[in-house]
Amino acid sequence: MLISLKQLNQRLFNTPLIDYPYGLAHGKMGLIIYLYHLWSYTNDTNYKDRAEHLLEDLLEHDLSIDSDLSVEEGLCGIALGLDYLIRQKFVAGDANKLLGEIDDLLFKQIAFSKIESTYFPPQLVHILYYIHNRLEIQTNDEERFPFEGMGIKLVDILANLIDASFFKESYTFSIYHYHVPVLM
């Protein structure tokens, strides 16, 4: 059964999102980005209002220091989504101020615990991508230093974890199974 974009959007508006996951790939953050883009294409303020409501709900209720840090389902994905919304001027704010707590949690995970025992190498590559994104917007050496340190540590961890099979190319592109482009 094929459904139209209008029907899909109607289902999204009618679905209770209380128990919806918060992640970028399969959750509220991805939906928020989708709704902001719908608003920019259609100028329908219902989409913007829904996106703002979901974003406010996500930031106030769904996140905790015990949350997963992965990009796909966790805090790093939320942070990438927020950074994207700021860069696209859908929302106003200073990414460094908004993402500081997530950066601190990630720093503690990398520096003081065995992050490699919590996350698989592809997830670590995605976290490295997050660190790279955060490093790009830092304006001075003092701000860059922690991100450079996290990046170096994560590259060292990955070097010890991955073997030649990690670089095997898939017949079709998949962010989950073809890691080389993300790593590069």
Side-chain angles (χ1 to χ4, degrees):
M1 175 177 104
L2 294 174
I3 63 171
S4 70
L5 189 57
K6 189 174 184 175
Q7 290 171 315
L8 172 67
N9 292 336
Q10 192 61 40
R11 282 188 187 176
L12 289 174
F13 271 90
N14 293 331
T15 302
L17 299 173
I18 294 171
D19 295 327
Y20 212 65
Y22 57 83
L24 178 62
H26 309 286
K28 287 181 184 177
M29 192 71 234
L31 183 57
I32 290 165
I33 292 170
Y34 174 72
L35 290 170
Y36 272 115
H37 276 287
L38 275 177
W39 166 67
S40 79
Y41 293 135
T42 65
N43 289 323
D44 183 342
T45 57
N46 288 324
Y47 295 128
K48 182 182 181 192
D49 294 343
R50 180 74 168 189
E52 288 174 346
H53 173 74
L54 280 172
L55 183 59
E56 185 178 308
D57 186 58
L58 174 71
L59 295 175
E60 288 182 6
H61 300 101
D62 290 340
L63 305 180
S64 75
I65 60 171
D66 299 325
S67 297
D68 177 24
L69 284 170
S70 73
V71 169
E72 185 179 351
E73 298 295 334
L75 294 176
C76 288
I78 302 296
L80 281 171
L82 285 170
D83 183 53
Y84 176 81
L85 292 173
I86 291 168
R87 288 181 193 220
Q88 296 299 311
K89 301 190 182 340
F90 287 130
V91 297
D94 179 355
N96 286 327
K97 288 180 182 175
L98 285 171
L99 307 179
E101 288 182 45
I102 294 172
D103 295 339
D104 290 345
L105 288 169
L106 183 59
F107 179 81
K108 289 174 187 170
Q109 275 276 324
I110 292 173
F112 303 116
S113 70
K114 295 271 187 199
I115 194 167
E116 64 271 20
S117 64
T118 307
Y119 301 99
F120 295 111
Q123 292 171 310
L124 294 175
V125 170
H126 295 161
I127 291 172
L128 185 60
Y129 173 75
Y130 167 74
I131 291 168
H132 168 73
N133 260 20
R134 295 291 291 127
L135 184 59
E136 273 187 335
I137 65 170
Q138 304 312 311
T139 57
N140 64 49
D141 289 340
E142 188 176 300
E143 292 172 349
R144 293 177 63 82
F145 181 74
F147 294 100
E148 289 171 346
M150 285 190 289
I152 290 168
K153 173 87 181 209
L154 216 44
V155 167
D156 286 344
I157 290 169
L158 281 166
N160 291 324
L161 288 178
I162 59 178
D163 57 16
S165 67
F166 184 82
F167 299 102
K168 185 178 178 185
E169 293 188 26
S170 174
Y171 292 112
T172 59
F173 178 76
S174 166
I175 195 86
Y176 306 111
H177 300 108
Y178 186 29
H179 313 295
V180 177
V182 179
L183 185 58
M184 292 299 147

